[in-house]
């Protein structure tokens, strides 16, 4: 039985797990006012790795309902794309490479799938790293966690390197399970990488500490594990020593964010720059909204700052 009601005004969907809790529910209406679009957002909650039929039902509904214009997909990016592949008339290059879709939109009568993380994670990175930083230093990038967003960031750098040498010369990736490292390695093996990369199986936070402690000065340590939001704790222990003059980036902006507290405890002594996932969140949503409503939304400059400010006011 179809539980979806045809939209009576332009509607974008958020396909996630606990969508009502997300800041976007408050931010979206304010952004729509700003863009002058009369549209609403509706959450669709599935449990992680839900039945394929449920994903198909939701995506088929969006495909055939005229005022349902598209969706942003979080946790179910891979499962949903896999279950609904034949429903899409077109898929972007990254969606095909990664086998996932975080953006569902319409182009005329066609339904399109895109993977936006390789773009949005890069925009978020560039927002706080100084221009030319990687060209001018031998700092490394340490990615704690080899999941989807970590892989996406490496793909952003692969693409950036086609027109710039401002990418890390060395990346170190760790993961709790070996499988994710192998998946990442498999995708990397199909590409020409502009950096050297080491993959480390690190089942415990103490294993991650060893790699944090051995980073050269100025390196960037990223918590891409979800620990501190999706799960308790942090991927490193309190004994980890962040690199002098380095950077610490937590991919999330809500939750306990223990990793950020650990970095803050050393901020003065190690002269650290610390960043959370708020700007990543803004880019993540605005890139999909631009696709769904076919509007131009800048990725920097005064208009982007206004869009960010509107979102901040709802925090
Ligand atoms: N701010 C934003 O807008 C934004 C955007 C994208 C992502 N994020 C956040 O970033 C986090 C990661 O996202 P994702 O899509 O990449 O998730 P994901 O695919 O679930 O990846 C997380 C990875 O971290 C690994 N991990 C967990 N604990 C670890 C530890 N102690 N040491 C090393 N690796 C560990 C997991 O390994 P196993 O294989 O062992 O589970 C998994 O491979 C999520 O919390 C997400 O919400 C935020």
């Amino acid at each position: 039985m179809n539980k979806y009601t045809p939209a009576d005004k332009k509607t974008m969907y958020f396909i996630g797990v606990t969508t009502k809790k997300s800041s976007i529910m408050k931010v979206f209406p304010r952004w729509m006012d700003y863009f002058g679009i009369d549209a609403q957002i509706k959450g669709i909650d599935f449990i992680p790795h839900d039945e394929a039929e449920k994903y198909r039902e939701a995506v088929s509904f969006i495909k055939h309902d005229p005022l349902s214009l598209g969706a942003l997909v979080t946790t179910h990016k891979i499962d949903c794309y896999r279950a609904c592949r034949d429903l899409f008339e077109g898929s972007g290059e990254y969606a095909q490479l990664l086998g996932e879709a975080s953006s569902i939109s319409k182009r005329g009568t066609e339904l399109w799938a895109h993977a936006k993380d390789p773009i949005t994670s890069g925009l978020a990175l560039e927002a706080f790293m100084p221009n030319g930083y990687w060209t001018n230093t031998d700092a490394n990038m340490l990615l704690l966690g080899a999941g989807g967003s970590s892989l996406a960031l490496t793909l952003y750098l692969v693409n950036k390197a086609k027109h710039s040498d401002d990418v890390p010369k060395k990346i170190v990736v760790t993961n709790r399970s070996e499988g994710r490292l192998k998946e990442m390695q498999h995708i990397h093996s199909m590409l020409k990488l502009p950096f050297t990369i080491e993959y480390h199986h690190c089942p415990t936070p103490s294993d991650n500490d060893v790699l944090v402690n051995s980073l050269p000065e100025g390196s960037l340590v990223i918590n891409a594990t979800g620990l501190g939001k999706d799960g308790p704790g942090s991927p490193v222990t309190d004994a980890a020593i962040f690199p002098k003059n380095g950077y610490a980036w937590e991919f999330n902006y809500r939750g306990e964010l223990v990793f950020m507290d650990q970095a803050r405890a050393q901020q003065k002594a190690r002269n650290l720059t610390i960043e959370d996932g708020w700007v990543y969140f803004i880019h993540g949503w605005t890139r999909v909204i631009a696709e769904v409503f076919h509007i131009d939304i800048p990725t920097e400059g005064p208009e982007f700052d206004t869009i960010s400010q509107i979102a901040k006011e709802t925090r």
Side-chain angles (χ1 to χ4, degrees):
M1 265 276 284
N2 189 347
K3 63 180 172 12
Y4 299 100
T5 317
D8 54 7
K9 65 194 281 191
K10 288 179 182 170
T11 303
M12 175 171 173
Y13 296 84
F14 173 18
I15 302 179
V17 181
T18 50
T19 55
K20 281 192 185 69
K21 285 192 192 157
S22 171
S23 306
I24 195 61
M25 293 304 180
K26 284 190 211 144
V27 174
F28 187 89
R30 307 241 358 235
W31 276 351
M32 288 300 119
D33 283 349
Y34 174 76
F35 294 132
I37 299 173
D38 183 19
Q40 61 182 345
I41 187 161
K42 283 189 182 174
I44 301 177
D45 289 345
F46 294 123
I47 55 169
H49 309 299
D50 215 327
E51 295 156 36
E53 205 38 54
K54 292 200 183 156
Y55 296 123
R56 289 187 67 79
E57 203 184 357
V59 174
S60 301
F61 165 75
I62 293 168
K63 183 178 170 87
H64 296 113
D65 186 48
L67 288 173
S68 293
L69 301 185
L72 179 141
V73 187
T74 54
T75 312
H76 317 282
K77 286 179 282 202
I78 296 174
D79 293 314
C80 182
Y81 184 62
R82 205 171 273 164
C84 302
R85 224 169 180 137
D86 60 300
L87 300 174
F88 296 108
E89 275 80 19
S91 296
E93 198 185 325
Y94 284 133
Q96 292 176 44
L97 179 66
L98 297 172
E100 67 173 45
S102 56
S103 164
I104 298 174
S105 61
K106 292 178 176 177
R107 291 181 178 178
T109 56
E110 298 186 344
L111 194 68
W112 274 74
H114 289 96
K116 292 289 182 188
D117 273 1
I119 297 160
T120 57
S121 59
L123 289 167
L125 175 78
E126 301 300 349
F128 71 90
M129 289 305 292
N131 242 335
Y133 185 78
W134 304 109
T135 310
N136 299 324
T137 69
D138 287 324
N140 294 178
M141 177 186 281
L142 171 60
L143 279 159
L144 302 168
S149 44
S150 182
L151 173 62
L153 186 58
T154 65
L155 297 184
Y156 163 75
L157 294 168
V158 169
N159 198 39
K160 182 183 178 186
K162 290 175 187 161
H163 56 83
S164 165
D165 61 6
D166 187 21
V167 298
K169 295 169 190 77
K170 180 174 166 187
I171 294 180
V172 179
V173 191
T174 77
N175 203 69
R176 190 172 53 186
S177 71
E178 264 187 306
R180 302 304 288 269
L181 288 170
K182 288 201 174 117
E183 282 166 32
M184 182 184 260
Q185 218 166 343
H186 173 68
I187 293 184
H188 283 165
S189 72
M190 296 188 268
L191 305 164
K192 190 174 170 297
L193 299 184
F195 38 74
T196 59
I197 187 157
E198 285 177 8
Y199 308 90
H200 292 265
H201 180 213
C202 291
T204 68
S206 318
D207 297 321
N208 287 321
D209 287 359
V210 174
L211 292 156
V212 174
N213 295 354
S214 56
L215 287 168
E217 183 174 339
S219 292
L220 165 63
V221 185
I222 301 175
N223 178 17
T225 64
L227 292 187
K229 179 187 149 246
D230 304 334
S234 160
V236 297
T237 75
D238 289 346
I241 301 165
F242 283 83
K244 199 174 152 202
N245 301 323
Y247 291 77
W249 184 15
E250 160 62 61
F251 267 179
N252 283 304
Y253 67 90
R254 62 183 168 100
E256 286 186 332
L257 307 185
V258 179
F259 173 83
M260 282 192 86
D261 288 341
Q262 291 169 321
R264 276 194 205 105
Q266 298 177 33
Q267 185 160 27
K268 242 190 179 155
R270 308 296 288 168
N271 187 31
L272 299 177
T273 303
I274 303 171
E275 185 71 20
D276 73 3
W278 178 252
V279 174
Y280 193 177
F281 167 82
I282 305 280
H283 283 300
W285 273 95
T286 50
R287 283 310 89 210
V288 181
I289 288 172
E291 197 83 57
V292 168
F293 294 98
H294 301 281
I295 54 173
D296 283 330
I297 304 178
T299 55
E300 59 182 352
E303 200 186 338
F304 180 78
D305 294 344
T306 303
I307 292 163
S308 279
Q309 186 54 35
I310 290 170
K312 211 177 235 168
E313 283 160 13
T314 69
R315 273 182 104 168

